Amino acid sequence: MRDPIPLETENGLYLTELELFLDSRRSRENGFVSHAHADHFGRHENILCSEPTAHLLKTRYNVADERLNPHPFHEPLEVGPFRLQLLPAGHIYGSAMLHVTRKADGESLLYTGDFKVHHSLTAEEPVFRRADTLVMETTFGAPKWVFPGENEITGMILNFVNQCLEEGVVPALLAYSLGKAQEVQAILTRSGIPAVSHPAVAKMTAACREAGCQLPEPLTFEGTVPGGHALICPPNVMRSEEYRAIPNLRTAILSGWALDTNATYRFGVDAAFPLSDHADFPGLLDAVRRVNPRRVATIHGYAREFSSELRRQNYEAWSVDGGDQMELDLQR
Ligand SMILES: [Zn+2]
């Protein structure tokens, strides 16, 4: 049996032999940034990322060019005794997984970052590659999180929007400014429904377009929503006077957490639709099957529950943040 590729987890995810941190929020010398969401980004001296992510990091966080080392998807990158490869993660546009192979013996590791298995209109189709060690996010890693199919979710959103427009009400779709907002823009565009976007959304949509994503030029919200248009904005702006003052507004949150029965109450919205940019529980299991690893480390969300599920399925699995020990002891 080959030795695993060493991964330290006490102080962020760290590939010791590559001297490379994975999605560290603290600034480091060398960091892989899987995608341009704030909780995966640190201002590292050398940032390894995909080409679209490099553009998004520049636009979103003013990252200087000299810090960025963008690398094309799929193309091997030789680093000393290792071969690296960025694979599309399907989470948001530009999101990447990192596959590492030790050339001497073929031992491999796949770090997923955030990923999605279901088809998306804006993110690249995810590509899973076999690896001996799988380090995966498990945001929705409990059996109750099963999202409806893509067509069903799209249908729910379009029904809501069309009904609002028929009644002369403004449909406000609340979605994170990078990722979900572009996905819902694409859903509306495909159905010929125009939308105006909060400036933060419009900026990210424009940046995704510049990076190569197929999206229409965004229309920026300037105080009024023209008739027949939907409004796309980040969830938090609904607390602002300007947005609360829009007459005849009906709000819908787009989030995987919408499956929670209290979602409309919790988010303070009229409707909630489970459009997620993460894998659901069956999607996570599907990813594990496709990667076919010998060992799995889980991180984020239901990490402990999911690692426990994997152990029931005879995988060697543990959660990065710990807490598995008690159960492991009991099983012995
Ligand atoms: Zn993310």
Side-chain angles (χ1 to χ4, degrees):
M1 177 95 62
R2 300 181 301 247
D3 286 337
I5 292 175
L7 173 77
E8 275 181 16
T9 58
E10 287 88 55
N11 185 23
L13 298 174
Y14 181 59
L15 291 167
T16 47
E17 290 174 8
L18 278 158
E19 298 179 5
L20 181 68
F21 279 91
L22 306 175
D23 281 341
S24 170
R25 295 180 72 171
R26 279 179 44 199
S27 83
R28 314 282 188 171
E29 190 175 346
N30 302 307
F32 168 68
V33 176
S34 65
H35 64 289
H37 278 156
D39 56 337
H40 292 253
F41 166 69
R43 219 166 268 281
H44 316 303
E45 278 173 46
N46 303 300
I47 294 174
L48 173 64
C49 61
S50 74
E51 291 170 315
T53 295
H55 183 74
L56 293 172
L57 293 178
K58 272 195 270 187
T59 314
R60 203 165 198 214
Y61 307 113
N62 287 318
V63 178
D65 263 328
E66 54 266 28
R67 288 174 185 257
L68 294 164
N69 299 288
H71 195 75
F73 283 119
H74 304 292
E75 230 170 73
L77 173 65
E78 310 286 335
V79 183
F82 294 95
R83 180 174 298 126
L84 276 51
Q85 192 186 29
L86 270 59
L87 298 167
H91 170 58
I92 64 168
Y93 189 59
S95 62
M97 305 190 239
L98 181 66
H99 190 275
V100 179
T101 306
R102 187 165 54 211
K103 289 186 272 188
D105 60 1
E107 178 71 17
S108 56
L109 177 147
L110 180 72
Y111 168 65
T112 64
D114 287 350
F115 72 97
K116 180 175 172 172
V117 178
H118 284 159
H119 176 70
S120 145
L121 296 178
T122 49
E124 301 86 347
E125 208 59 34
V127 174
F128 295 92
R129 192 176 153 192
R130 210 210 77 75
D132 298 303
T133 302
L134 170 62
V135 185
M136 68 187 300
E137 66 108 341
T138 49
T139 306
F140 291 103
K144 67 173 178 173
W145 300 105
V146 181
F147 301 140
E150 184 200 351
N151 290 343
E152 197 179 331
I153 299 170
T154 304
M156 290 178 195
I157 296 168
L158 291 174
N159 279 346
F160 169 83
V161 170
N162 285 323
Q163 198 173 342
C164 288
L165 295 178
E166 275 168 30
E167 293 174 22
V169 170
V170 175
L173 301 166
L174 311 187
Y176 293 115
S177 57
L178 175 60
K180 214 77 70 67
Q182 287 72 45
E183 187 68 13
V184 74
Q185 173 73 71
I187 289 170
L188 295 175
T189 303
R190 206 171 55 164
S191 294
I193 300 167
V196 291
S197 294
H198 179 275
V201 168
K203 185 179 173 189
M204 284 303 106
T205 303
C208 287
R209 269 169 60 85
E210 287 156 14
C213 188
Q214 293 284 324
L215 284 163
E217 204 171 316
L219 302 172
T220 306
F221 172 71
E222 285 166 351
T224 54
V225 180
H229 284 60
L231 171 66
I232 304 173
C233 50
N236 58 337
V237 304
M238 275 303 142
R239 285 187 229 118
S240 75
E241 283 298 323
E242 187 189 10
Y243 281 78
R244 277 206 307 239
I246 300 170
N248 281 329
L249 203 65
R250 197 175 293 160
T251 54
I253 184 96
L254 307 177
S255 165
W257 306 111
L259 283 186
D260 194 328
T261 42
N262 294 322
T264 50
Y265 174 75
R266 208 150 56 91
F267 289 107
V269 290
D270 300 309
F273 304 116
L275 179 70
S276 177
D277 46 21
H278 290 269
D280 62 0
F281 183 73
L284 292 170
L285 288 175
D286 187 31
V288 174
R289 276 191 293 270
R290 289 203 234 175
V291 176
N292 191 21
R294 282 194 276 138
R295 62 191 81 80
V296 185
T298 59
I299 187 165
H300 302 310
Y302 292 82
R304 256 187 283 173
E305 289 84 344
F306 196 74
S307 65
S308 162
E309 170 64 31
L310 290 180
R311 286 194 297 277
R312 268 196 296 280
Q313 300 191 17
N314 292 321
Y315 288 95
E316 182 191 334
W318 71 99
S319 69
V320 166
D321 298 327
D324 304 279
Q325 204 52 47
M326 175 84 83
E327 189 189 349
L328 286 174
D329 285 345
L330 289 173
Q331 280 178 347
R332 260 176 220 144

